[in-house]
Amino acid sequence: MYRSVLVTGASSGIGETTAIHLAHKGFRVFAAARSSGKLKNLSGLGGGRISPVTMDVTDEASIKNALTEISADGSALYGLVNNAGVSVMGPIEEVSASDWKRQYETNVFGLMNVTRAVLPQMRREGRGRIVNIGSVAGRIAAPFQGVYASSKHAVEGLSDALRRELEPHGVKVSVVRPGFINTPFGHQEQEELARYTGESGAYAEQVKIYKEWHAKGHPNAPGPLVVAEAVHHALTADHPNSRYTAPKKMLAYLALRNLAPSAITDRVFKKVTGLDAYKKEKSA
Ligand SMILES: NC(=O)c1ccc[n+]([C@@H]2O[C@H](COP(=O)([O-])OP(=O)(O)OC[C@H]3O[C@@H](n4cnc5c(N)ncnc54)[C@H](OP(=O)(O)O)[C@@H]3O)[C@@H](O)[C@H]2O)c1
């Protein structure tokens, strides 16, 4: 009997690779995304153990329909991988209220919508695993990434509380924090940043510098398999870690963030991103 797992945001990047990896490792995988057309790549992969499911994590009716489809298949979910995510980038002052909402609706409320929908069944069974895909940005907030970083900080906080609430019910909760990973996400973030580089933007020069540094991040990063392997560990270990960082080299940055005073980390940020070259012009 294969254990069943639902992976959200499986049409691309980390979710797609995780769905395939878990199926190869013997899981029955329900791979979810908003459009079934985008899940076509997965058909026939993973030893035939992947089933595409249409689900928009911001739409509770769509979540309900997907879970009905999964249970009609006879599968009691053992695991949920909350991976679906978007990134809203830009200066905190200038990002519109609707973009702030879009960010939280997917990365925070969407994640909670799906989690709350699967928990009654997991609690009844007295077992289950929730794996939340956070980010290194859930601990380290870069400039012009504050909207996204704050949503991932929220994922860190709610995952801690959830882990403690669910421990007596046999449901284990982990956060997997990717650093830069080479997926289409980087391109989407570049497009977001480009919206704030126009001449009238109060932060345009800073955003241009940051954008140039950011552009090198994803293409030079490892592929999503490092994240998929961490997810697999979180789903299968007797005692899964509360947190995984992938790739592991990002642990050095997290240690710096945890141990060094902000005055130092702020200076490191400026140096690394090139933002130390920015000098505000004095107004006449
Ligand atoms: N790549 C990185 O460097 C990186 C670093 C840290 C954390 N992460 C996190 O890793 C996760 C996956 O990112 P990725 O790099 O794989 O990005 P990606 O390639 O852009 O994939 C994002 C996935 O999320 C899905 N999605 C977006 N909005 C959704 C919604 N409302 N309902 C359902 N699915 C939705 C997309 O599906 P459709 O649009 O097809 O529906 C897509 O499958 C995200 O949570 C991201 O924050 C990524």
Side-chain angles (χ1 to χ4, degrees), residues 2 7 20 38 52 70 85 99 108 145 150 165 172 175 182 186 193 200-201 209 211 216 219-220 223 256 273 278:
Y2 298 116
V7 180
I20 297 166
K38 285 204 200 164
I70 291 169
D99 279 341
V108 183
Q145 201 193 21
S150 66
E165 289 172 19
K172 298 183 195 298
V175 179
N182 194 359
L193 287 167
S200 59
I209 295 170
K211 183 172 174 294
K216 296 178 220 132
N220 295 314
L256 184 70
T273 56
Y278 173 74

PDB file of all heavy atoms in Angstrom, residues 2 7 20 38 52 70 85 99 108 145 150 165 172 175 182 186 193 200-201 209 211 216 219-220 223 256 273 278:
ATOM      1  N   TYR A   2       0.733   2.111  -1.031  1.00  0.00           N
ATOM      2  CA  TYR A   2       1.549   3.327  -1.093  1.00  0.00           C
ATOM      3  C   TYR A   2       0.965   4.382  -0.169  1.00  0.00           C
ATOM      4  O   TYR A   2      -0.254   4.522  -0.070  1.00  0.00           O
ATOM      5  CB  TYR A   2       1.543   3.881  -2.523  1.00  0.00           C
ATOM      6  CG  TYR A   2       2.144   2.952  -3.535  1.00  0.00           C
ATOM      7  CD1 TYR A   2       1.378   2.414  -4.567  1.00  0.00           C
ATOM      8  CD2 TYR A   2       3.491   2.620  -3.459  1.00  0.00           C
ATOM      9  CE1 TYR A   2       1.938   1.559  -5.497  1.00  0.00           C
ATOM     10  CE2 TYR A   2       4.066   1.767  -4.395  1.00  0.00           C
ATOM     11  CZ  TYR A   2       3.280   1.238  -5.413  1.00  0.00           C
ATOM     12  OH  TYR A   2       3.834   0.400  -6.319  1.00  0.00           O
ATOM     13  N   VAL A   7       0.896  17.423  -3.143  1.00  0.00           N
ATOM     14  CA  VAL A   7       1.903  18.482  -3.334  1.00  0.00           C
ATOM     15  C   VAL A   7       1.213  19.636  -4.048  1.00  0.00           C
ATOM     16  O   VAL A   7       0.729  19.477  -5.180  1.00  0.00           O
ATOM     17  CB  VAL A   7       3.095  17.984  -4.183  1.00  0.00           C
ATOM     18  CG1 VAL A   7       4.129  19.097  -4.372  1.00  0.00           C
ATOM     19  CG2 VAL A   7       3.744  16.759  -3.551  1.00  0.00           C
ATOM     20  N   ILE A  20       7.705  14.334  -8.623  1.00  0.00           N
ATOM     21  CA  ILE A  20       8.359  13.225  -9.335  1.00  0.00           C
ATOM     22  C   ILE A  20       9.263  12.433  -8.378  1.00  0.00           C
ATOM     23  O   ILE A  20       9.238  11.201  -8.346  1.00  0.00           O
ATOM     24  CB  ILE A  20       9.176  13.768 -10.539  1.00  0.00           C
ATOM     25  CG1 ILE A  20       8.242  14.433 -11.552  1.00  0.00           C
ATOM     26  CG2 ILE A  20       9.989  12.651 -11.200  1.00  0.00           C
ATOM     27  CD1 ILE A  20       8.945  15.282 -12.610  1.00  0.00           C
ATOM     28  N   LYS A  38      -1.221  22.509 -17.301  1.00  0.00           N
ATOM     29  CA  LYS A  38       0.191  22.659 -16.958  1.00  0.00           C
ATOM     30  C   LYS A  38       0.752  21.407 -16.261  1.00  0.00           C
ATOM     31  O   LYS A  38       1.955  21.304 -16.052  1.00  0.00           O
ATOM     32  CB  LYS A  38       0.360  23.859 -16.033  1.00  0.00           C
ATOM     33  CG  LYS A  38       0.256  25.199 -16.710  1.00  0.00           C
ATOM     34  CD  LYS A  38       1.008  26.194 -15.844  1.00  0.00           C
ATOM     35  CE  LYS A  38       0.614  27.612 -16.117  1.00  0.00           C
ATOM     36  NZ  LYS A  38       1.046  28.508 -15.042  1.00  0.00           N
ATOM     37  N   PRO A  52      -2.662  14.086 -11.431  1.00  0.00           N
ATOM     38  CA  PRO A  52      -2.853  15.542 -11.402  1.00  0.00           C
ATOM     39  C   PRO A  52      -4.197  15.924 -10.780  1.00  0.00           C
ATOM     40  O   PRO A  52      -5.186  15.210 -10.955  1.00  0.00           O
ATOM     41  CB  PRO A  52      -2.819  15.934 -12.883  1.00  0.00           C
ATOM     42  CG  PRO A  52      -2.875  14.684 -13.663  1.00  0.00           C
ATOM     43  CD  PRO A  52      -2.771  13.509 -12.759  1.00  0.00           C
ATOM     44  N   ILE A  70      -9.652  13.312  -4.340  1.00  0.00           N
ATOM     45  CA  ILE A  70      -8.613  12.442  -3.775  1.00  0.00           C
ATOM     46  C   ILE A  70      -9.250  11.334  -2.929  1.00  0.00           C
ATOM     47  O   ILE A  70      -8.888  10.162  -3.032  1.00  0.00           O
ATOM     48  CB  ILE A  70      -7.609  13.274  -2.920  1.00  0.00           C
ATOM     49  CG1 ILE A  70      -6.788  14.184  -3.842  1.00  0.00           C
ATOM     50  CG2 ILE A  70      -6.692  12.368  -2.111  1.00  0.00           C
ATOM     51  CD1 ILE A  70      -5.955  15.238  -3.135  1.00  0.00           C
ATOM     52  N   GLY A  85       3.410  28.926  -4.240  1.00  0.00           N
ATOM     53  CA  GLY A  85       3.828  30.245  -3.754  1.00  0.00           C
ATOM     54  C   GLY A  85       4.085  31.212  -4.888  1.00  0.00           C
ATOM     55  O   GLY A  85       4.357  30.808  -6.020  1.00  0.00           O
ATOM     56  N   ASP A  99      -1.430  44.099  -4.279  1.00  0.00           N
ATOM     57  CA  ASP A  99      -0.299  43.174  -4.411  1.00  0.00           C
ATOM     58  C   ASP A  99       0.093  42.566  -3.055  1.00  0.00           C
ATOM     59  O   ASP A  99       0.465  41.394  -2.972  1.00  0.00           O
ATOM     60  CB  ASP A  99       0.898  43.871  -5.067  1.00  0.00           C
ATOM     61  CG  ASP A  99       0.756  43.938  -6.586  1.00  0.00           C
ATOM     62  OD1 ASP A  99      -0.057  43.159  -7.141  1.00  0.00           O
ATOM     63  OD2 ASP A  99       1.431  44.766  -7.221  1.00  0.00           O
ATOM     64  N   VAL A 108       0.291  32.600   2.560  1.00  0.00           N
ATOM     65  CA  VAL A 108      -0.079  32.412   3.967  1.00  0.00           C
ATOM     66  C   VAL A 108      -1.497  31.836   4.098  1.00  0.00           C
ATOM     67  O   VAL A 108      -1.689  30.729   4.583  1.00  0.00           O
ATOM     68  CB  VAL A 108       0.045  33.737   4.752  1.00  0.00           C
ATOM     69  CG1 VAL A 108      -0.262  33.504   6.232  1.00  0.00           C
ATOM     70  CG2 VAL A 108       1.440  34.338   4.591  1.00  0.00           C
ATOM     71  N   GLN A 145      12.426  42.937  -0.985  1.00  0.00           N
ATOM     72  CA  GLN A 145      11.847  41.595  -0.913  1.00  0.00           C
ATOM     73  C   GLN A 145      10.969  41.497   0.334  1.00  0.00           C
ATOM     74  O   GLN A 145      10.618  40.406   0.779  1.00  0.00           O
ATOM     75  CB  GLN A 145      13.008  40.577  -0.823  1.00  0.00           C
ATOM     76  CG  GLN A 145      12.652  39.180  -1.238  1.00  0.00           C
ATOM     77  CD  GLN A 145      13.721  38.179  -0.825  1.00  0.00           C
ATOM     78  OE1 GLN A 145      14.527  38.407   0.071  1.00  0.00           O
ATOM     79  NE2 GLN A 145      13.726  37.046  -1.490  1.00  0.00           N
ATOM     80  N   SER A 150       8.143  38.811   4.402  1.00  0.00           N
ATOM     81  CA  SER A 150       7.234  38.837   5.556  1.00  0.00           C
ATOM     82  C   SER A 150       6.235  37.688   5.476  1.00  0.00           C
ATOM     83  O   SER A 150       5.870  37.106   6.498  1.00  0.00           O
ATOM     84  CB  SER A 150       6.528  40.189   5.668  1.00  0.00           C
ATOM     85  OG  SER A 150       5.663  40.399   4.576  1.00  0.00           O
ATOM     86  N   GLU A 165       0.914  22.213  18.395  1.00  0.00           N
ATOM     87  CA  GLU A 165      -0.499  21.835  18.571  1.00  0.00           C
ATOM     88  C   GLU A 165      -0.752  20.395  18.125  1.00  0.00           C
ATOM     89  O   GLU A 165      -1.566  19.682  18.702  1.00  0.00           O
ATOM     90  CB  GLU A 165      -1.396  22.773  17.748  1.00  0.00           C
ATOM     91  CG  GLU A 165      -1.486  24.184  18.311  1.00  0.00           C
ATOM     92  CD  GLU A 165      -2.226  25.155  17.384  1.00  0.00           C
ATOM     93  OE1 GLU A 165      -2.965  24.708  16.488  1.00  0.00           O
ATOM     94  OE2 GLU A 165      -2.060  26.381  17.566  1.00  0.00           O
ATOM     95  N   LYS A 172       3.128  15.409  12.286  1.00  0.00           N
ATOM     96  CA  LYS A 172       4.412  16.114  12.441  1.00  0.00           C
ATOM     97  C   LYS A 172       4.520  17.225  11.397  1.00  0.00           C
ATOM     98  O   LYS A 172       4.104  17.043  10.255  1.00  0.00           O
ATOM     99  CB  LYS A 172       5.566  15.132  12.301  1.00  0.00           C
ATOM    100  CG  LYS A 172       5.550  14.045  13.386  1.00  0.00           C
ATOM    101  CD  LYS A 172       6.746  13.133  13.257  1.00  0.00           C
ATOM    102  CE  LYS A 172       6.614  11.855  14.056  1.00  0.00           C
ATOM    103  NZ  LYS A 172       6.504  12.004  15.486  1.00  0.00           N
ATOM    104  N   VAL A 175       9.331  22.663   8.341  1.00  0.00           N
ATOM    105  CA  VAL A 175       9.498  23.728   7.347  1.00  0.00           C
ATOM    106  C   VAL A 175      10.747  23.410   6.545  1.00  0.00           C
ATOM    107  O   VAL A 175      11.778  23.074   7.122  1.00  0.00           O
ATOM    108  CB  VAL A 175       9.708  25.112   8.016  1.00  0.00           C
ATOM    109  CG1 VAL A 175       9.901  26.197   6.964  1.00  0.00           C
ATOM    110  CG2 VAL A 175       8.535  25.470   8.905  1.00  0.00           C
ATOM    111  N   ASN A 182      17.224  27.200  -8.802  1.00  0.00           N
ATOM    112  CA  ASN A 182      17.037  27.548 -10.223  1.00  0.00           C
ATOM    113  C   ASN A 182      15.696  27.032 -10.755  1.00  0.00           C
ATOM    114  O   ASN A 182      15.573  25.869 -11.145  1.00  0.00           O
ATOM    115  CB  ASN A 182      18.201  26.974 -11.043  1.00  0.00           C
ATOM    116  CG  ASN A 182      18.242  27.572 -12.438  1.00  0.00           C
ATOM    117  OD1 ASN A 182      17.394  28.405 -12.789  1.00  0.00           O
ATOM    118  ND2 ASN A 182      19.217  27.162 -13.218  1.00  0.00           N
ATOM    119  N   GLY A 186      12.678  32.844 -10.305  1.00  0.00           N
ATOM    120  CA  GLY A 186      13.625  33.958 -10.412  1.00  0.00           C
ATOM    121  C   GLY A 186      13.212  34.934 -11.495  1.00  0.00           C
ATOM    122  O   GLY A 186      13.295  36.159 -11.328  1.00  0.00           O
ATOM    123  N   LEU A 193      10.438  43.175  -9.952  1.00  0.00           N
ATOM    124  CA  LEU A 193      11.360  44.270  -9.623  1.00  0.00           C
ATOM    125  C   LEU A 193      11.363  45.336 -10.718  1.00  0.00           C
ATOM    126  O   LEU A 193      11.446  46.538 -10.430  1.00  0.00           O
ATOM    127  CB  LEU A 193      12.782  43.721  -9.419  1.00  0.00           C
ATOM    128  CG  LEU A 193      13.003  42.933  -8.115  1.00  0.00           C
ATOM    129  CD1 LEU A 193      14.326  42.176  -8.158  1.00  0.00           C
ATOM    130  CD2 LEU A 193      12.977  43.877  -6.905  1.00  0.00           C
ATOM    131  N   SER A 200      10.204  57.674 -12.384  1.00  0.00           N
ATOM    132  CA  SER A 200       9.471  58.366 -11.314  1.00  0.00           C
ATOM    133  C   SER A 200       9.574  57.635  -9.969  1.00  0.00           C
ATOM    134  O   SER A 200       9.155  58.170  -8.939  1.00  0.00           O
ATOM    135  CB  SER A 200       8.003  58.500 -11.710  1.00  0.00           C
ATOM    136  OG  SER A 200       7.485  57.203 -11.923  1.00  0.00           O
ATOM    137  N   GLY A 201      10.135  56.446  -9.960  1.00  0.00           N
ATOM    138  CA  GLY A 201      10.178  55.670  -8.718  1.00  0.00           C
ATOM    139  C   GLY A 201      11.155  56.250  -7.710  1.00  0.00           C
ATOM    140  O   GLY A 201      12.304  56.542  -8.041  1.00  0.00           O
ATOM    141  N   ILE A 209      20.042  48.467  -8.848  1.00  0.00           N
ATOM    142  CA  ILE A 209      21.266  47.823  -8.335  1.00  0.00           C
ATOM    143  C   ILE A 209      20.923  46.443  -7.765  1.00  0.00           C
ATOM    144  O   ILE A 209      21.571  45.439  -8.052  1.00  0.00           O
ATOM    145  CB  ILE A 209      21.934  48.700  -7.242  1.00  0.00           C
ATOM    146  CG1 ILE A 209      22.423  50.013  -7.851  1.00  0.00           C
ATOM    147  CG2 ILE A 209      23.079  47.949  -6.572  1.00  0.00           C
ATOM    148  CD1 ILE A 209      22.871  51.056  -6.824  1.00  0.00           C
ATOM    149  N   LYS A 211      18.346  44.594  -8.407  1.00  0.00           N
ATOM    150  CA  LYS A 211      17.849  43.708  -9.476  1.00  0.00           C
ATOM    151  C   LYS A 211      19.027  43.064 -10.228  1.00  0.00           C
ATOM    152  O   LYS A 211      18.988  41.888 -10.580  1.00  0.00           O
ATOM    153  CB  LYS A 211      16.962  44.531 -10.423  1.00  0.00           C
ATOM    154  CG  LYS A 211      16.311  43.742 -11.544  1.00  0.00           C
ATOM    155  CD  LYS A 211      15.314  44.621 -12.284  1.00  0.00           C
ATOM    156  CE  LYS A 211      14.732  43.932 -13.506  1.00  0.00           C
ATOM    157  NZ  LYS A 211      15.688  43.662 -14.558  1.00  0.00           N
ATOM    158  N   LYS A 216      21.603  37.325 -10.938  1.00  0.00           N
ATOM    159  CA  LYS A 216      22.629  36.259 -10.994  1.00  0.00           C
ATOM    160  C   LYS A 216      22.276  35.105 -10.065  1.00  0.00           C
ATOM    161  O   LYS A 216      22.843  34.021 -10.166  1.00  0.00           O
ATOM    162  CB  LYS A 216      23.991  36.834 -10.564  1.00  0.00           C
ATOM    163  CG  LYS A 216      24.517  37.911 -11.497  1.00  0.00           C
ATOM    164  CD  LYS A 216      25.848  38.454 -10.972  1.00  0.00           C
ATOM    165  CE  LYS A 216      25.936  39.956 -11.161  1.00  0.00           C
ATOM    166  NZ  LYS A 216      26.374  40.718 -10.017  1.00  0.00           N
ATOM    167  N   PRO A 219      19.926  31.685 -11.816  1.00  0.00           N
ATOM    168  CA  PRO A 219      20.601  30.889 -12.855  1.00  0.00           C
ATOM    169  C   PRO A 219      21.827  30.139 -12.326  1.00  0.00           C
ATOM    170  O   PRO A 219      22.173  29.084 -12.838  1.00  0.00           O
ATOM    171  CB  PRO A 219      21.018  31.932 -13.898  1.00  0.00           C
ATOM    172  CG  PRO A 219      20.124  33.107 -13.652  1.00  0.00           C
ATOM    173  CD  PRO A 219      19.812  33.097 -12.185  1.00  0.00           C
ATOM    174  N   ASN A 220      22.486  30.680 -11.291  1.00  0.00           N
ATOM    175  CA  ASN A 220      23.690  30.028 -10.755  1.00  0.00           C
ATOM    176  C   ASN A 220      23.399  29.129  -9.558  1.00  0.00           C
ATOM    177  O   ASN A 220      24.317  28.637  -8.913  1.00  0.00           O
ATOM    178  CB  ASN A 220      24.714  31.097 -10.340  1.00  0.00           C
ATOM    179  CG  ASN A 220      25.196  31.868 -11.554  1.00  0.00           C
ATOM    180  OD1 ASN A 220      25.512  31.272 -12.577  1.00  0.00           O
ATOM    181  ND2 ASN A 220      25.207  33.187 -11.466  1.00  0.00           N
ATOM    182  N   GLY A 223      19.516  23.092  -8.753  1.00  0.00           N
ATOM    183  CA  GLY A 223      18.153  22.763  -9.176  1.00  0.00           C
ATOM    184  C   GLY A 223      17.312  22.336  -7.976  1.00  0.00           C
ATOM    185  O   GLY A 223      17.819  22.203  -6.856  1.00  0.00           O
ATOM    186  N   LEU A 256      24.931  33.625  10.446  1.00  0.00           N
ATOM    187  CA  LEU A 256      25.341  35.040  10.510  1.00  0.00           C
ATOM    188  C   LEU A 256      24.160  35.893  10.967  1.00  0.00           C
ATOM    189  O   LEU A 256      24.281  36.750  11.847  1.00  0.00           O
ATOM    190  CB  LEU A 256      25.827  35.504   9.129  1.00  0.00           C
ATOM    191  CG  LEU A 256      26.383  36.924   9.055  1.00  0.00           C
ATOM    192  CD1 LEU A 256      27.723  37.011   9.783  1.00  0.00           C
ATOM    193  CD2 LEU A 256      26.570  37.374   7.598  1.00  0.00           C
ATOM    194  N   THR A 273      25.187  43.000  -2.226  1.00  0.00           N
ATOM    195  CA  THR A 273      24.250  43.352  -3.305  1.00  0.00           C
ATOM    196  C   THR A 273      24.755  44.509  -4.176  1.00  0.00           C
ATOM    197  O   THR A 273      24.186  44.788  -5.230  1.00  0.00           O
ATOM    198  CB  THR A 273      22.885  43.793  -2.723  1.00  0.00           C
ATOM    199  OG1 THR A 273      23.116  44.878  -1.824  1.00  0.00           O
ATOM    200  CG2 THR A 273      22.184  42.658  -1.999  1.00  0.00           C
ATOM    201  N   TYR A 278      25.205  52.997  -3.773  1.00  0.00           N
ATOM    202  CA  TYR A 278      24.098  53.959  -3.919  1.00  0.00           C
ATOM    203  C   TYR A 278      24.269  55.129  -2.957  1.00  0.00           C
ATOM    204  O   TYR A 278      24.432  54.933  -1.749  1.00  0.00           O
ATOM    205  CB  TYR A 278      22.751  53.283  -3.652  1.00  0.00           C
ATOM    206  CG  TYR A 278      21.608  54.268  -3.615  1.00  0.00           C
ATOM    207  CD1 TYR A 278      21.129  54.844  -4.787  1.00  0.00           C
ATOM    208  CD2 TYR A 278      21.038  54.661  -2.398  1.00  0.00           C
ATOM    209  CE1 TYR A 278      20.106  55.789  -4.751  1.00  0.00           C
ATOM    210  CE2 TYR A 278      20.004  55.584  -2.360  1.00  0.00           C
ATOM    211  CZ  TYR A 278      19.549  56.142  -3.542  1.00  0.00           C
ATOM    212  OH  TYR A 278      18.545  57.064  -3.496  1.00  0.00           O
TER     213      TYR A 278
END
